[in-house]
Each structure stands twice: as C-alpha cells, then as structure tokens.
Amino acid sequence: MSEEILMNVSPMESRVSVVENGVLQEVYIERSRSRGIVGNVYKGKVVRVLPGMQAAFVDIGLERAAFIHVSEIQAKADAPRQGESGEPNILGLVHEGQSLVVQVTKDPIGSKGARLTTHLSIPARYLVFMPHNNHVGISLRIDDSQERDRLKELVEKCIEEEQLSERGGFILRTAAEGVGESEIRADILFLHRLWGTIEEAIKESKAPACVYEDLPLHLRTMRDLVNPNIERIRIDSRETFEKVSKFVKKLVPQVDGRVEYYSGERPIFDLFGVEDEITRALGRKVQLKSGGYLIIDQTEAMTTIDVNTGGFVGHRNLEETIFKTNLEASTTIARQLRLRNLGGIIIIDFIDMEDAEHQRQVLRTLEKSLENDHAKTGITGVTELGLVQMTRKRTRESLENTLCEACPTCNGRGMLKTAETICYEIFREILRNARAYENDAYLVLAAQSVVDRLLDEESDNVANVEAFIDKTIRFQVEPMYTQEQFDVVLV
Ligand SMILES: [Zn+2]
C-alpha cells in the first residue's frame, strides 16, 4: 500500500491529510488560536515562596507568575516533613531566586497564573516518559491482565536491550493496547532522544525559558503517523518544511529523506481532491459506486449509519445487488469512520440479506477494512434486528465538531417548521388577541417565505380571519428573521 502525507500550513491553521493509494483517509486540523501551554516545560525562576500556603510563585516568562503547590514539587526522600499529611515544608525545598524546571498543568485563565508541577511527563504515541522515576505503569483502561503483562514485559525488554543511559519511568497509554514490539521500541527511543534535547536546552538556557513545547501538529504527525509505508511527506510551507526536516533528522530518522517542500501552483489540498473530500465528509449522505448510498448521523450518544440501495432495483438479481451494495458499504464505512473521526458507539443498518453466507462475508469485509484504522475498533455484535454494533476509540474531536457548530436556524434539529405551520401559528396568535385590544389593525413581521405564502396560498385564510375579527392584517418582510421567527404587532 502506498501512503502519503500532505501538510497545508498557514499562520492561522495547520491541516494534515493522510492519503492511501490516492484516496484521502484521515484529516487533522489544528488552529493556532486554540493551542494552550499545558504540557510545556520551562526553566523557571522562583520569585516568591509562600510558607503559609505551602506554595511558590515561579516566573516562566509569561505576563503573570505561575503557581506551584508543595505537593507538586519533587522532594528528596530525606526532606524534612511536617503535619499530618507528611508533606515536606516548602521552605526546605525551594528558595527565592533559584531556577526550577517545571511543566504547566493548567493554562492561565483571566487573572490567575498557570499551574505547575515538577513531575515532568512527556507523551509519545503509546508511552509517556517520566524522567524522574523508574516505574513502568499502565493505563487502567487496558483491563486484560495478559495484555497488561505482555506490554509491561515488552517495555522492560526494550529498555534493557537498548541500554539506555538513564532509564526513567514509562506509562503505557491506552493506545498501546495490542501494539507490537517495533512500535513500542520506536516510542521508547523517540522519547529518549527527545528527553536528551530537552536536557540540553535546560543546561544551555537561562531562566525563564521554555525548553519543551507540546509538539505542534506538523511535528506530532511525524511522531504519531509516520510508518515504513509512508512514501513521502509533502509540505506547502518552506518554514515548516525546514522545521520538520530538522525534527525528522534528529528524532524520526527512519523517514529522513522522504520529506519534501511542495512549491506547486495548485493548492496542495487540491491534489487527490482532498479539499472536496473534506467538504463531502461533512455531509450526511455518502454515494456508493454501486448506486446505493449511506446516511451517516452523528448524535451525542452514538453514530448511526444507514445503508440504502439506490433507486429502482430489478427483482431478478435483488439479493445479489443488495449483497454487492452491502460489501461496498463495508469498506466505505470503515473509511468514513476514519475520515470523519467518529468515535464511541456506532450502529450500522445494512440492507437485509437472506443468505447467511452473504451476511458473514459482509461482516468479514467490514472487519478487514477496519484493520487499517489507527484508532482501536471492535465489532461488538449483531442485534436481533440485524443491526451491527461496533465501537471506535474516541481520540480527538470528530471532523464535524472541529469544523462546525449547531445550525442556529434549527438549533441542530436539522428540521424547520414549514412556512405553512408558521402561517397557522400567526393566525392563532392573532385570534388569541383579537378580543383583548381595541386596535384597528395588525402588522405581521415574518420571513420572506412566510409572507409570500400569506399573500398567495393563504390569502383566503387571511381574508377569513380579517372578516372574523373585523380588523385588517398587514405584512412586512423581515430579511433577518429565520423561517420560524415572526412577530404580531398591534397598530
Ligand atoms: Zn439547520
């Protein structure tokens, strides 16, 4: 399989697309505005120690000094302790003017400074590295005890074989479940190289200084997505290309030489029709080559996917047509789940099939297509009604949640009351008030479509209402009103 990564970089956002055999499979988007500083490591300077609060303020180069509590400061075992909690006294740990290597755990908000810890942790794809201890831990969400043992042994084995100068501690992330030795080893080596560069920066920089930033999307891509199948990585920004090249040489040497600067005239996301595919991935309907189509609905609780045959299907080969449509749907669904990054519970309603062998083949095709997914997936069962239930691990926000918000016109319902329904609501409102006031006329403010209808299809009803209440009704188009909005005013 040939795999390629395209990166589109502009000052306000970075977008990464993964293309396999010429077909877009995954999209990642990061907007500069929404990046915080959580995870960043600084060489800070202690500016004030507050013994009463058992805390200190640390200058990390931001507008406001950041805050650290004694419980977040790594203490030597022989540090003097106090009180019931046995916490060491802050006065014995830090003093004003000293430099302190810290990591941000909470972004500064309003007048509050950032929160810090000295318990550093540097994440990679499957592992988190903790330079200050020697423990190998594992995410509780990996609950199979055999798998937990396998992973722990794997980490210990790799650490030993690589003869790392300082071993440090590791935590196996949930994403490590089912992952093989080569990936775990690559992560360990990556983290050690990365920690080496951070240590160097700590030594060479003068406080306050940032010595490690959680990787921006273009570098995270190199860390997380790059695998031996990747043939090339094309980037449309010279500056980012240079940064990525440097990063790759130092930390991901296995893809050195495959990073290219894209200087083409066509926008990079026009290659392989990526831009169009992204737009289509926001729609509910996905057309299948066989003539059928999928309807994908994302709700808060789950995603439902409905498989349909297209239009008229002859009687003779009905079962065969349905089978083919379901097969195509299986591969398309696997791709759409990745592309849209849909996570959680997914319910698929395939078209009913009589033949049990056909049913098995459709499920097998789905399973096989899901194997290419970076996120963990699993088919959990087929219900009595023939619905296929599956799960996909939630990672980032879905594409839709990244790029869209609920429609303000329908509040996300996807449906609007018809102009006819609104006309009748207007009539009811007028009739309800008719006896209460001594006015001569009503003025109705409504959307164009509603006023058009009142003047045309509903004109008889308007005349009837006017006769009944013995008052006149006038209309005025309000261009800013949505179809559901209207006001009835006494005049
Ligand atoms: Zn809407």
Side-chain angles (χ1 to χ4, degrees):
M1 184 170 51
S2 94
E3 219 176 309
E4 173 163 353
I5 287 177
L6 303 177
M7 285 192 201
N8 168 230
V9 182
S10 66
M12 60 285 176
E13 70 173 1
S14 301
R15 300 187 302 165
V16 169
S17 63
V18 180
V19 177
E20 286 172 13
N21 297 324
V23 180
L24 175 66
Q25 297 287 353
E26 283 176 39
V27 184
Y28 298 81
I29 297 169
E30 183 173 82
R31 304 214 160 132
S32 336
R33 194 175 296 147
S34 52
R35 288 198 73 206
I37 58 164
V38 169
N40 289 5
V41 177
Y42 295 85
K43 183 174 181 178
K45 193 177 212 167
V46 178
V47 286
R48 245 182 103 192
V49 181
L50 309 165
M53 289 175 71
Q54 284 292 296
F57 282 113
V58 182
D59 178 11
I60 57 171
L62 302 180
E63 202 179 319
R64 238 163 249 286
F67 179 90
I68 189 165
H69 184 254
V70 68
S71 59
E72 293 295 339
I73 301 178
Q74 187 98 14
K76 294 205 177 75
D78 59 358
R81 284 166 200 273
Q82 63 166 30
E84 271 174 46
S85 60
E87 269 174 356
N89 189 333
I90 187 127
L91 292 171
L93 295 179
V94 293
H95 59 266
E96 272 168 38
Q98 86 164 80
S99 65
L100 191 64
V101 176
V102 288
Q103 188 165 31
V104 174
T105 56
K106 221 178 191 175
D107 276 318
I109 310 171
S111 62
K112 278 186 162 173
R115 298 283 299 232
L116 306 173
T117 182
T118 66
H119 303 281
L120 307 186
S121 63
I122 313 290
R125 190 165 169 191
Y126 304 114
L127 296 162
V128 176
F129 177 61
M130 294 167 304
H132 300 319
N133 70 50
N134 282 323
H135 183 70
V136 175
I138 188 160
S139 160
L140 280 175
R141 279 166 62 200
I142 299 179
D143 48 16
D144 182 78
S145 65
Q146 267 185 338
E147 177 63 4
R148 294 173 69 86
D149 292 345
R150 180 188 76 91
L151 285 168
K152 274 190 174 181
E153 279 163 28
L154 203 52
V155 171
E156 293 288 0
K157 177 173 172 249
C158 293
I159 292 174
E160 207 179 293
E161 287 174 3
E162 296 298 335
Q163 300 185 327
L164 303 174
S165 48
E166 279 171 87
R167 66 161 271 165
F170 288 93
I171 289 174
L172 283 141
R173 305 175 65 172
T174 313
E177 192 167 7
V179 163
E181 180 174 335
S182 61
E183 286 94 342
I184 298 290
R185 187 185 300 270
D187 245 22
I188 290 176
L189 290 175
F190 171 85
L191 283 168
H192 257 267
R193 287 187 213 115
L194 181 59
W195 177 241
T197 64
I198 297 171
E199 277 188 309
E200 224 168 274
I202 292 171
K203 222 184 291 161
E204 284 169 9
S205 56
K206 194 171 168 295
C210 182
V211 293
Y212 166 76
E213 261 181 280
D214 190 20
L215 302 177
L217 179 62
H218 52 272
L219 300 185
R220 242 173 25 238
T221 304
M222 295 300 109
R223 180 190 75 192
D224 295 349
L225 293 181
V226 156
N227 65 64
N229 291 329
I230 302 262
E231 283 177 352
R232 55 178 176 172
I233 298 144
R234 288 194 265 180
I235 305 170
D236 69 355
S237 143
R238 167 73 70 183
E239 197 190 336
T240 306
F241 161 74
E242 272 155 19
K243 278 186 197 153
V244 169
S245 302
K246 240 167 114 187
F247 180 85
V248 160
K249 267 201 182 61
K250 232 184 202 167
L251 297 164
V252 205
Q254 56 273 38
V255 289
D256 191 18
R258 291 185 218 173
V259 183
E260 294 172 22
Y261 169 54
Y262 175 79
S263 59
E265 253 176 38
R266 286 175 71 198
I268 193 166
F269 271 21
D270 280 6
L271 305 181
F272 308 110
V274 167
E275 201 71 72
D276 289 343
E277 281 289 312
I278 293 174
T279 305
R280 272 201 289 276
L282 297 173
R284 289 177 74 215
K285 190 169 172 179
V286 180
Q287 196 63 47
L288 300 174
K289 286 197 193 77
S290 61
Y293 60 94
L294 308 177
I295 295 289
I296 302 179
D297 281 311
Q298 190 189 342
T299 68
E300 261 169 59
M302 67 181 81
T303 298
T304 57
I305 303 176
D306 193 25
V307 184
N308 300 276
T309 51
F312 176 76
V313 180
H315 269 292
R316 215 181 307 157
N317 288 318
L318 187 57
E319 175 75 13
E320 200 56 33
T321 306
I322 288 174
F323 177 48
K324 271 197 195 130
T325 305
N326 279 340
L327 279 181
E328 193 193 345
S330 300
T331 53
T332 307
I333 286 168
R335 171 168 173 256
Q336 289 293 330
L337 293 178
R338 282 177 74 184
L339 187 53
R340 296 171 186 236
N341 195 30
L342 297 168
I345 300 167
I346 294 145
I347 308 277
I348 307 169
D349 191 0
F350 284 106
I351 310 161
D352 287 338
M353 289 175 293
E354 305 286 325
D355 190 331
E357 177 53 28
H358 283 176
Q359 293 170 12
R360 269 193 297 278
Q361 282 195 43
V362 167
L363 267 190
R364 257 205 304 275
T365 307
L366 178 62
E367 255 168 4
K368 192 125 192 22
S369 314
L370 289 170
E371 280 172 11
N372 295 326
D373 203 330
H374 293 295
K376 197 183 166 224
T377 59
I379 296 175
T380 48
V382 181
T383 69
E384 255 174 69
L385 294 171
L387 301 174
V388 174
Q389 288 181 337
M390 60 167 287
T391 58
R392 185 170 184 274
K393 191 165 281 169
R394 257 185 221 287
T395 49
R396 315 153 273 134
E397 291 266 33
S398 71
L399 187 65
E400 185 179 87
N401 289 350
T402 307
L403 297 180
C404 305
E405 61 184 0
C407 166
T409 307
C410 68
N411 291 314
R413 279 175 294 147
M415 304 287 276
L416 282 179
K417 289 181 187 167
T418 59
E420 185 183 28
T421 302
I422 299 301
C423 288
Y424 296 163
E425 286 188 9
I426 290 170
F427 294 147
R428 278 199 300 277
E429 174 126 355
I430 291 171
L431 290 168
R432 194 181 306 133
N433 291 299
R435 277 176 231 296
Y437 304 98
E438 300 262 313
N439 59 314
D440 300 325
Y442 287 97
L443 177 64
V444 174
L445 310 176
Q448 181 80 57
S449 56
V450 174
V451 172
D452 284 352
R453 194 176 172 96
L454 288 164
L455 295 175
D456 190 0
E457 291 99 319
E458 306 297 338
S459 56
D460 286 354
N461 285 327
V462 172
N464 290 339
V465 173
E466 281 180 324
F468 184 72
I469 61 174
D470 197 21
K471 286 167 190 175
T472 51
I473 306 172
R474 296 205 315 270
F475 307 107
Q476 187 178 316
V477 174
E478 274 302 318
M480 298 300 286
Y481 280 17
T482 69
Q483 182 160 295
E484 293 190 346
Q485 282 178 309
F486 66 85
D487 284 300
V488 177
V489 191
L490 307 174
V491 284

